[in-house]
Amino acid sequence: MTLAAVAGIPPESTQQALGYPSLFLLVVIGALVPVVPTGALVSSAAVVALHQTAPFSLLVVFAVAAFAAFLGDVGLYWLGRRGMRSKNGSRWLEAIRDRAPEDRLAQAQAKLKDHGVLVLVLSRLVPAGRIPVMLACLLAKMPLRRFARGNLPACLAWAATYQVIGILGGSLFKEPWEGVAVAVVLTLLLSLAPAAWRRVRRAHA
């Protein structure tokens, strides 16, 4: 008899009780500190949910990931606005600036001017596209409420995209860990592809 059976808690319920809060916290942290591969986390969680028998597991993963990404983005934008209003700035604003190269920032500002908050949706789906667009919004002095309204569909689209990647990877294998491995590899390749393409273009320029 397993420990979970002795305790009267099914193993799947234990995984959910630990997994959902962990996913929430890691995605929020990843939004605030853009070094955590949040896309890979969502895809991996989708793989695990796909192999669970509990109803609505995939829907819960989607809701948790989207809500966490939204809170993290809004929190980082709020911290950035505080830095913009401060005479001495802030470490959060400097972190945003450091991750937004001048050429990417110029592109983001042009797209923001042409398309408004709709550019937030694309920025969430393009690897390394979120921070330059967020900085462009800060420099344009976009109100927090307007940013939040534009960022909500962006987070929903982001969570759905990476969950689909996880579902596709998980559906190919019987064992969850195999699907997780494929999902992680796919998301990492997607995140590295834009940087590799820019290097190729510079080499042939």
Side-chain angles (χ1 to χ4, degrees), residues 47-86:
V47 172
V48 175
L50 183 66
H51 289 273
Q52 290 180 343
T53 59
F56 309 117
S57 294
L58 286 170
L59 183 60
V60 175
V61 169
F62 169 75
V64 169
F67 184 54
F70 177 76
L71 285 184
D73 283 357
V74 170
L76 183 59
Y77 191 77
W78 178 77
L79 291 168
R81 278 176 58 84
R82 286 192 63 187
M84 294 288 290
R85 292 194 297 265
S86 173

Side-chain angles (χ1 to χ4, degrees), residues 119-137:
V119 75
L120 288 169
V121 177
L122 182 61
S123 74
R124 251 292 178 183
L125 298 178
V126 175
R130 180 175 66 101
I131 296 301
V133 171
M134 184 179 289
L135 181 57
C137 293

Side-chain angles (χ1 to χ4, degrees), residues 31-34 76-77 79-106 108-109 128-141:
L32 290 171
V33 185
L76 183 59
Y77 191 77
L79 291 168
R81 278 176 58 84
R82 286 192 63 187
M84 294 288 290
R85 292 194 297 265
S86 173
K87 292 182 179 180
N88 299 323
S90 70
R91 64 186 182 91
W92 293 101
L93 181 59
E94 289 302 317
I96 295 174
R97 289 184 183 275
D98 290 343
R99 292 185 173 275
E102 290 298 326
D103 57 334
R104 301 293 301 280
L105 175 60
Q109 288 175 313
R130 180 175 66 101
I131 296 301
V133 171
M134 184 179 289
L135 181 57
C137 293
L138 287 169
L139 295 176
K141 298 182 179 179

Side-chain angles (χ1 to χ4, degrees), residues 19-43:
Y20 294 144
S22 299
L23 176 64
F24 178 83
L25 289 175
L26 289 173
V27 172
V28 169
I29 293 172
L32 290 171
V33 185
V35 293
V36 178
T38 52
L41 290 172
V42 175
S43 296

Side-chain angles (χ1 to χ4, degrees), residues 158-182:
W158 171 82
T161 299
Y162 281 99
Q163 187 166 36
V164 168
I165 293 174
I167 292 172
L168 292 176
S171 62
L172 297 175
F173 303 96
K174 292 183 179 180
E175 295 296 330
W177 71 266
E178 294 174 319
V180 168
V182 171

Side-chain angles (χ1 to χ4, degrees), residues 12 39 130 204:
E12 191 170 298
R130 180 175 66 101
H204 290 82

